[in-house]
Amino acid sequence: MKRIATVLLVFLLSFAAVHGQKAKQNYVIGFYNLENLFDIYDDPAKNDEQFLPEGSNKWTKEKYEHKLHNMARVIAEMAASNGRFHTILGVSEIENRFVLEDLVSDPQIASANYQIIHYDGPDRRGVDVALLYRPEQFKVLQTKSIPFTFEGSEVEFTLDKEQQDYFRTRDILMVRGTIAGEMFAFFVAHLPSRVGGKGSDLRSRGGEILYRESMALMEKYPGIKIVTMGDMNDNPTDDSMAIWHRGKEKPEDVTPTDFFCPYITMLKDGFGTLAYQGVWSIYDLELVNYNLLNAPEGTLKLQPIGKNGYYGYIFKRPFMTTQKGQYKGYPYRTFSGGSFIGGYSDHYPTFIVVGK
């Protein structure tokens, strides 16, 4: 009996490693685009007509519950792989707080005790961003919904003033708090889509907002550690991230006014979180500021993940991937060609690890 207990203890300690690292003081921070997680009820303030039982997607209770189960399964599988649930998980493409309450109560992930931070935003599609967190690991001090505006920008826009006044997109969520007594801030974004001819200037503005808000926090709270994350609808090499957000590829090139983006190297090495017409992109990003990248010894800092030494991770498993047909190898999505196929999301989630 004693031998069995010893073997079990060794197994549990091994399981608690995050991709080969000692996980004792490690925290997983990530992002997942949940691909149109709508409930089945009509909300006059939301553009949810497609996602109703009588809508074009025939969005029934059974389909909704299937979608919830799938999203929870991915989160649970990431926890199994990492030996722990995410401390912080940013999400996008959710209709409201209620769908997240249903999600976090799913039996597969209920033990994580995820709490929710969400604001209703002005997006014309009716989707928002939000943040899930484990309260025993992250203590919230401040939350803020940051609107996407054009005022004071240095970006040159293609939209005229009337078009700018009409334009609506997701707000950016900022949450400030502490992990193990150290101050962090997390930004969750879903920058303007490429659909409908929306220009790169709009995403550049999003990168500019993320950068300016981060710099303001760094000035107010010297030493604060910042992670910006989201579906940027741009690759990390595009202007919005590389120029306006000042995301750098190599840690040694990051100055106190820059951000480090681990996904630049991964993109160049052929990785992707979504695919379109045979081309893979990484739109789902986490960027970290200098304070987190170059944290003093004995404090929380960004950690390499796995034997390849990347600082970011794209979570991709066969059950999340289309196994046959025209889109074989692509993320296994919820709908295809207007038909419900019961998949997961058209994006793979990403995460980073911070630890001592």
Side-chain angles (χ1 to χ4, degrees):
M1 194 72 183
K2 184 176 180 182
R3 173 179 167 76
I4 294 174
T6 302
V7 170
L8 180 60
L9 177 60
V10 170
F11 171 77
L12 291 173
L13 290 174
S14 299
F15 184 72
V18 177
H19 296 281
Q21 302 178 71
K22 291 182 179 179
K24 205 171 191 181
Q25 294 178 295
N26 282 355
Y27 302 88
V28 183
I29 296 163
F31 173 79
Y32 194 14
N33 181 324
L34 302 182
E35 193 201 7
N36 294 319
L37 182 55
F38 280 77
D39 63 28
I40 64 170
Y41 306 105
D42 186 23
D43 181 347
K46 297 277 188 176
N47 183 14
D48 63 357
E49 289 77 13
Q50 282 183 300
F51 290 92
L52 298 174
E54 65 275 14
S56 59
N57 286 334
K58 306 297 181 186
W59 194 237
T60 62
K61 180 181 179 183
E62 291 74 23
K63 289 177 181 177
Y64 172 61
E65 291 178 347
H66 184 88
K67 172 76 171 179
L68 287 171
H69 175 84
N70 282 358
M71 298 294 90
R73 180 183 177 186
V74 174
I75 296 170
E77 291 282 352
M78 286 193 285
S81 175
N82 291 329
R84 61 192 53 231
F85 283 104
H86 284 55
T87 297
I88 299 289
L89 180 61
V91 295
S92 69
E93 291 201 18
I94 56 103
E95 182 182 9
N96 50 43
R97 180 185 180 91
F98 305 112
V99 298
L100 291 179
E101 291 177 350
D102 286 343
L103 175 63
V104 301
S105 63
D106 185 285
Q108 299 172 97
I109 62 173
S111 63
N113 189 32
Y114 278 123
Q115 303 301 298
I116 301 164
I117 299 174
H118 164 260
Y119 290 86
D120 283 313
D123 179 66
R124 296 200 184 278
R125 270 186 61 205
V127 293
D128 299 323
V129 299
L131 186 129
L132 308 181
Y133 70 97
R134 302 191 68 192
E136 67 274 19
Q137 296 179 351
F138 178 64
K139 309 303 179 186
V140 177
L141 297 174
Q142 177 191 7
T143 69
K144 179 181 179 183
S145 190
I146 302 164
F148 185 102
T149 64
F150 295 89
E151 289 76 20
S153 177
E154 296 180 16
V155 177
E156 292 187 12
F157 297 108
T158 56
L159 301 182
D160 60 30
K161 184 64 167 63
E162 183 178 353
Q163 291 171 320
Q164 290 179 19
D165 290 342
Y166 178 79
F167 183 75
R168 297 289 184 275
T169 192
R170 282 75 60 174
D171 288 352
I172 296 170
L173 175 64
M174 189 284 292
V175 180
R176 183 173 61 85
T178 61
I179 298 176
E182 299 181 26
M183 188 178 294
F184 279 77
F186 301 99
F187 291 84
V188 187
H190 185 185
L191 297 189
S193 169
R194 294 171 173 242
V195 176
K198 297 185 181 71
S200 62
D201 55 326
L202 297 174
R203 294 181 293 280
S204 289
R205 173 55 177 156
E208 183 184 43
I209 293 171
L210 285 166
Y211 182 76
R212 288 183 175 179
E213 291 284 340
S214 297
M215 290 300 105
L217 280 180
M218 289 172 64
E219 183 176 352
K220 187 172 183 179
Y221 304 103
I224 189 172
K225 297 174 179 180
I226 297 177
V227 180
T228 63
M229 67 178 78
D231 176 357
M232 305 304 184
N233 272 305
D234 264 344
N235 277 309
T237 50
D238 289 325
D239 285 358
S240 62
M241 297 293 103
I243 295 175
W244 295 98
H245 197 340
R246 297 188 63 163
K248 306 295 183 183
E249 177 180 4
K250 298 179 180 179
E252 59 268 26
D253 292 338
V254 178
T255 74
T257 55
D258 293 322
F259 278 74
F260 171 59
C261 182
Y263 298 99
I264 299 175
T265 298
M266 295 180 70
L267 179 68
K268 292 179 178 179
D269 287 349
F271 290 89
T273 59
L274 74 162
Y276 180 68
Q277 295 184 346
V279 178
W280 283 90
S281 297
I282 305 180
Y283 289 176
D284 307 86
L285 305 174
E286 295 92 24
L287 296 89
V288 305
N289 71 339
Y290 179 91
N291 295 339
L292 183 52
L293 177 66
N294 295 292
E297 200 65 35
T299 68
L300 296 173
K301 67 185 299 183
L302 185 66
Q303 302 291 320
I305 303 174
K307 60 184 180 181
N308 291 325
Y310 294 120
Y311 285 88
Y313 193 88
I314 298 170
F315 189 79
K316 173 182 177 180
R317 295 294 184 268
F319 72 88
M320 301 161 60
T321 303
T322 305
Q323 297 298 316
K324 60 183 179 179
Q326 179 182 358
Y327 300 110
K328 182 179 179 180
Y330 285 23
Y332 182 24
R333 58 194 303 163
T334 308
F335 285 89
S336 180
S339 299
F340 179 75
I341 59 174
Y344 293 76
S345 173
D346 54 350
H347 293 243
Y348 293 129
T350 58
F351 62 78
I352 60 173
V353 174
V354 302
K356 296 182 181 180

